[in-house]
Amino acid sequence: MRGREKLERYAVIHSNLGSRHITCSPLHHISEDGQSASGKATTVFILVTRSGYRVAVAAEYHDELVKVDGSWLFQCRRGVIAKLPNDPNFPILTADPNTRDQLSLLEDAWKDLGELISD
């Protein structure tokens, strides 16, 4: 997603689902001129279901940051969802019937608000 308005709309959808998005273990390297950085962080996305809390997504973020007026801002953050090591093509996001509907709502919002980023 590009822009604060779209990010805010997506965050509201997350909040309405009762989700928690936990990002940890960031490791970023600052450029020599101190104006940009790149790195990775781990994220876990938890959903509240009638069956209890469920880890719905585990992923790694790949970040590019820039310094603007003394503050670090994301220029780009790409998420790479963890896959089954022995079956990387398995549709892990839709495997759990307890989270499938909630993740479908997020996927629909992403399709509406997101933009395809090419490498």
Side-chain angles (χ1 to χ4, degrees):
M1 277 161 242
R2 192 177 303 264
R4 292 177 188 268
E5 181 184 326
K6 288 182 178 182
L7 288 170
E8 184 177 322
R9 287 173 52 198
Y10 195 65
V12 167
I13 294 166
H14 270 271
S15 179
N16 289 342
L17 291 176
S19 66
R20 295 295 178 263
H21 194 150
I22 302 163
T23 301
C24 56
S25 304
L27 181 59
H28 294 93
H29 301 282
I30 299 173
S31 65
E32 285 190 31
D33 67 4
Q35 298 304 303
S36 64
S38 62
K40 297 179 182 180
T42 299
T43 190
V44 176
F45 178 63
I46 299 169
L47 285 169
V48 177
T49 73
R50 292 193 179 275
S51 301
Y53 296 102
R54 294 275 205 236
V55 173
V57 176
E60 183 175 79
Y61 283 133
H62 296 246
D63 299 331
E64 295 173 32
L65 300 102
V66 293
K67 201 173 215 181
V68 177
D69 296 328
S71 296
W72 287 103
L73 301 176
F74 287 100
Q75 184 173 31
C76 183
R77 173 169 258 189
R78 292 184 176 117
V80 179
I81 296 172
K83 299 178 186 247
L84 286 177
N86 60 350
D87 189 0
N89 294 319
F90 180 79
I92 193 75
L93 288 178
T94 57
D96 186 344
N98 292 297
T99 60
R100 186 178 299 137
D101 291 343
Q102 291 165 299
L103 288 173
S104 290
L105 290 171
L106 291 174
E107 185 178 30
D108 290 345
W110 178 260
K111 287 176 184 174
D112 182 44
L113 299 170
E115 300 175 29
L116 186 61
I117 299 173
S118 60
D119 290 326

